[in-house]
């Protein structure tokens, strides 16, 4: 079952988040549940800083954001962007003469998503992490329409972490006997990357855990058609063996 909590509330209980920076469907800020827009001229500074946790060098940020022109002009543009941010009443940045950072009380949804993924991957997850978060699809396509190289790198890094975590989520849900949720998590990973065999494997394993051999074989055949058409290859022999003679959980192999 999907949690209905907003992206940042999933880690803070039911109380509204006092101060949040949303990169999913953003960027924008929420203060006590109230949405506040970030000035257009300040958005790239905020996003660059948020993606470089815990801080980013001020001169590096200016050069990245304004590569055309000299260092003095880039530094001036940075000061102007920070001034517009404060003028709009969006007090989320901490800055001094050398570094920029997002203030410590501010919750950043993309960062929280990355932390959730890390817990699933390294095994430090809690029961609260074993849900299909409502922001998963957003985390797989961070800041669509942004084409800065530093955004593209951050987007792909988060996408890979979340895909690995979603596969792990499917496995952990299967082990907990939550088969329907396990299938749904696996299908989300497959939908995000139909050519990803590790995602196909957890989907097939989730079907087999329910003794649904027909569903498992249907998923395998669909994947085989896709990889043949797109890559001109066959699925791995290990994946084929899963549906050839499956040993269902709880049943002896014959």
């Amino acid at each position: 079952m999907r949690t209905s909590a907003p992206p940042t509330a999933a880690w803070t209980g039911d109380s509204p988040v006092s101060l949040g920076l949303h990169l999913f469907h953003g960027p924008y800020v929420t203060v006590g549940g109230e949405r506040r827009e970030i000035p257009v001229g300040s958005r790239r500074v905020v996003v660059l800083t948020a993606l470089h946790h815990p801080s980013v060098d001020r001169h590096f940020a200016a050069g990245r954001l304004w590569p055309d022109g000299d260092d003095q002009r880039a530094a001036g543009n940075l000061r102007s962007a920070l001034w517009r941010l404060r003028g709009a009443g969006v007090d989320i940045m901490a800055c001094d003469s050398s570094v920029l950072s997002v203030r410590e009380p501010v919750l950043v949804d993309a960062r929280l998503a990355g932390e959730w993924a890390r817990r699933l991957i390294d095994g430090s997850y809690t029961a609260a992490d074993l849900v299909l978060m409502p922001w998963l699809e957003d985390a797989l396509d961070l800041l669509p329409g942004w084409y800065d190289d530093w955004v593209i790198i951050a987007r792909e890094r988060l996408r890979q972490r979340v895909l690995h975590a979603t596969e792990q989520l499917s496995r952990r849900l299967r082990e907990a006997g939550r088969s329907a949720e396990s299938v749904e998590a696996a299908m989300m990973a497959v939908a995000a990357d139909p050519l990803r065999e590790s995602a196909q494997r957890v989907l097939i394993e989730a079907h087999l855990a329910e003794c649904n051999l027909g569903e498992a074989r249907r998923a395998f055949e669909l994947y085989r058609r896709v990889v043949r058409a797109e890559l001109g290859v066959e699925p791995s022999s290990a994946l084929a063996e899963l549906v050839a003679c499956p040993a269902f959980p709880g049943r002896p192999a014959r």
Side-chain angles (χ1 to χ4, degrees), residues 116-126 129-132 136 160-176 178 181-183 185-190 196 198-203 205-206:
W116 171 84
R118 175 191 55 76
R119 291 193 296 273
L120 263 295
I121 292 168
D122 69 17
S124 63
Y125 61 89
T126 66
D129 292 319
L130 297 182
V131 292
L132 280 165
L136 274 174
Q160 288 298 325
R161 292 185 71 182
V162 170
L163 277 174
H164 279 104
T166 305
E167 292 170 2
Q168 284 295 98
L169 174 64
S170 179
R171 294 187 182 99
R172 301 292 84 82
L173 290 169
R174 186 179 75 241
E175 292 169 358
R178 295 160 63 180
E181 294 168 89
S182 175
V183 169
M187 290 183 70
M188 180 170 288
V190 167
R196 187 180 177 93
S198 58
Q200 298 285 348
R201 171 176 283 274
V202 295
L203 175 58
E205 289 172 342

Side-chain angles (χ1 to χ4, degrees), residues 21-35:
L21 171 58
H22 302 257
L23 302 188
F24 303 154
H25 298 290
Y28 65 92
V29 171
T30 51
V31 180
E34 177 187 350
R35 175 167 174 152

Side-chain angles (χ1 to χ4, degrees), residues 20 25 36 53 62-63 77-78 96 98 107 119 124 128 135 141 160 164 166 172 185 190 193 211 220:
H25 298 290
R36 294 187 184 178
H53 180 69
N77 289 336
L78 177 60
D96 57 29
S98 58
L107 294 175
R119 291 193 296 273
S124 63
W135 42 255
D141 189 19
Q160 288 298 325
H164 279 104
T166 305
R172 301 292 84 82
V190 167
D193 189 350
C211 300
F220 175 79

Side-chain angles (χ1 to χ4, degrees), residues 1 12-15 21 28 36 42 88 100 125 131 144 147 157 165 174 186 239 250:
M1 180 176 63
T12 57
D14 297 327
S15 331
L21 171 58
Y28 65 92
R36 294 187 184 178
S42 304
L100 305 173
Y125 61 89
V131 292
Y147 301 109
R157 181 170 61 245
R174 186 179 75 241
L239 190 67

Side-chain angles (χ1 to χ4, degrees), residues 23-24 51 110 137-146 151 154-155 158:
L23 302 188
F24 303 154
L51 294 178
E137 292 182 5
D138 297 318
L140 292 168
D141 189 19
L142 176 67
L143 296 168
W146 287 55
V151 174
R155 177 186 300 141
L158 182 59

Side-chain angles (χ1 to χ4, degrees), residues 212-225 243:
N212 289 330
L213 177 57
E215 293 289 348
R217 286 182 171 165
R218 188 176 298 113
F220 175 79
E221 290 300 331
L222 178 59
Y223 175 59
R224 181 160 63 178
R225 289 197 297 270
V243 296

